[in-house]
Amino acid sequence: MPGGPRSGLAAVSTALLAMSRRLEVRDVLRTIVVSARELLDAEYAALGVPDDHGGFAQFVVDGISAEQWRRIGPLPRQHGILAAMLHEGGPERLADVREDPRFEGWPAAHPEMSDFLGMPVRDGEETLGALFLANKRGPHGFTDEDQELLSLLAQHAAIALTNARLYERSRELTIAEERSRLAHELHDAVSQKLFSLRLTAQAAAALVDRDPARAKDELQQVAALAAEAADELRAAVTELRPAALDEDGLIATLRTHAHVLDRAHAAHVTFACDGVRALPATQEEAVLRVAQEALHNALRHSEGDRVEVTLTRTPAGGAVLKVVDSGKGFDPRTVRRAGRHLGLVSMRDRASGVGGRLTVHSEPGQGTTIEMEVPGG
């Protein structure tokens, strides 16, 4: 390694400490890949976490620009040398990967790679992923020392990745417990409000003929109780991460939501996605909530005949959500109507809460565009 044994040991120590300090799985994967490429002085590095369907649940690369990664296209499948590392559980060191009989080619936009060093990331008998590097900088390719170092990194990567998964699972359990608590609170609070609504409505019905003035007062109370119940319901539901988001991911959830709204409303609601991959869980939830709020406002207030929802990838690996309606628009500087104003504040809070930003573009008669950008991971 460049710099001698002492600087090399310090670099390894720094890399291992960086791995151990990460708590999110995505951050751990990224740290592993960047550390491996820098320590072994390679041009490219990647780490794939397999799914149960012949593909990869997560695939992190370093050394390739966001634009080049977008042009490469879909994630690779578990085949060829990647499959050998995942299923046979052994390292792979090749002078030229293209000459290996298992090599099956790559997409047109894929960079040219020659010398190759791959290592499975294993926790006991379980293979957690495949870590590999390509194009060693230097004339002699990857060495025995490089393979030993990558083996060491893979062992610590397995520990860090396992710890991150345990952390995320414990957080999911905490969220599940919180859901249960909120469900009980929701049941108690809304049940009481509905009971009061029923009694007040019955009283109003009894007074309609003999005391219309009092009946009117009772009906106003019904409206107030209904508003309170709606507020409590909305507040409780807002705290829950949607189940569909956990099961289907952001893109499928947004597509389904737009489809349902398109069928339920006169306005035509569409959804399109370009190049966006999985985002961190907190960002996905924030994007979904902003999309829901923006769609609700557009369908309720804009009076337009078309609402377009788009999700696009940024060059840095983040995402931009746009909700555009063809409605009557408004002046963002002067709007103070409670529903719209509070909705905009809530959306801005959600965007800033995940390191993003929210902008509103609207003019009377020109429709409205709500745009939310979240940074890359």
Side-chain angles (χ1 to χ4, degrees):
M1 288 176 288
R6 180 169 297 178
S7 62
L9 181 60
V12 172
S13 176
T14 300
L16 298 183
L17 285 172
M19 287 184 207
S20 65
R21 287 172 178 163
R22 303 293 181 179
L23 291 177
E24 302 284 348
V25 168
R26 185 77 182 180
D27 291 341
V28 169
L29 296 175
R30 180 70 182 166
T31 304
I32 294 168
V33 170
V34 171
S35 299
R37 187 171 81 91
E38 291 178 351
L39 285 172
L40 275 74
D41 199 25
E43 190 173 358
Y44 304 109
L47 196 161
V49 176
D51 61 19
D52 296 325
H53 310 289
F56 287 91
Q58 293 171 299
F59 201 89
V60 180
V61 299
D62 191 43
I64 296 175
S65 69
E67 173 60 23
Q68 188 174 13
W69 182 237
R70 185 189 68 78
R71 288 190 283 110
I72 289 173
L75 294 179
R77 304 293 295 172
Q78 297 175 30
H79 61 80
I81 298 167
L82 290 182
M85 284 191 294
L86 289 171
H87 303 304
E88 297 173 14
E92 294 284 344
R93 179 152 54 107
L94 305 168
D96 192 334
V97 66
R98 297 165 295 185
E99 296 179 1
D100 190 276
R102 296 165 296 179
F103 178 67
E104 298 179 17
W106 43 53
H110 198 283
E112 284 295 317
M113 297 180 179
S114 54
D115 47 321
F116 175 96
L117 177 60
M119 187 73 61
V121 177
R122 296 175 61 82
D123 178 22
E125 296 299 316
E126 180 185 5
T127 299
L128 304 179
L131 173 62
F132 60 92
L133 301 100
N135 294 17
K136 171 83 170 181
R137 292 188 175 95
H140 304 300
F142 294 105
T143 64
D144 290 339
E145 183 183 4
D146 291 329
Q147 185 169 322
E148 290 177 8
L149 178 55
L150 191 60
S151 176
L152 175 65
L153 285 176
Q155 293 173 47
H156 286 270
I159 296 170
L161 188 53
T162 299
N163 287 341
R165 286 180 168 179
L166 290 172
Y167 167 77
E168 291 194 351
R169 286 171 187 166
S170 68
R171 188 176 59 180
E172 289 170 4
L173 288 174
T174 301
I175 292 172
E177 291 171 357
E178 184 66 6
R179 281 180 175 163
S180 178
R181 181 189 66 79
L182 285 170
H184 285 297
E185 290 184 3
L186 178 63
H187 177 269
D188 293 343
V190 176
S191 292
Q192 291 173 9
K193 285 291 188 301
L194 291 176
F195 181 69
S196 298
L197 271 170
R198 187 177 67 177
L199 293 180
T200 307
Q202 289 173 345
L207 291 167
V208 165
D209 293 329
R210 57 188 176 87
D211 195 342
R214 281 187 61 193
K216 182 179 179 181
D217 291 340
E218 294 293 332
L219 288 174
Q220 290 176 339
Q221 181 65 16
V222 167
L225 287 169
E228 290 176 13
D231 288 343
E232 290 187 7
L233 177 63
R234 185 172 183 174
V237 170
T238 297
E239 293 187 49
L240 298 176
R241 176 175 165 85
L245 197 57
D246 291 326
E247 296 169 2
D248 303 326
L250 176 63
I251 296 169
T253 302
L254 278 175
R255 183 176 288 112
T256 299
H257 191 62
H259 180 66
V260 169
L261 292 178
D262 181 56
R263 297 182 63 181
H265 292 267
H268 184 39
V269 182
T270 62
F271 172 73
C273 179
D274 181 17
V276 175
R277 301 176 186 273
L279 298 170
T282 53
Q283 287 188 359
E284 288 201 343
E285 182 175 353
V287 170
L288 177 61
R289 292 305 193 189
V290 168
Q292 289 174 325
E293 182 71 31
L295 281 164
H296 172 79
N297 286 342
L299 293 170
R300 184 175 181 181
H301 300 291
S302 78
E303 300 177 10
D305 61 359
R306 187 179 70 258
V307 185
E308 299 174 353
V309 183
T310 60
L311 191 65
T312 56
R313 180 181 172 88
T314 66
V320 175
L321 167 77
K322 286 186 180 181
V323 180
V324 183
D325 69 61
S326 62
K328 59 186 180 181
F330 64 98
D331 185 347
R333 296 170 299 177
T334 60
V335 64
R336 286 295 181 269
R337 293 191 297 273
R340 291 291 289 270
H341 178 61
L342 291 176
L344 292 176
V345 170
S346 172
M347 287 189 283
R348 286 196 173 99
D349 287 346
R350 288 193 180 278
S352 63
V354 293
R357 61 180 178 85
L358 184 126
T359 54
V360 179
H361 308 279
S362 187
E363 293 181 22
Q366 299 298 315
T368 300
T369 298
I370 303 293
E371 180 176 318
M372 175 185 180
E373 181 174 349
V374 294

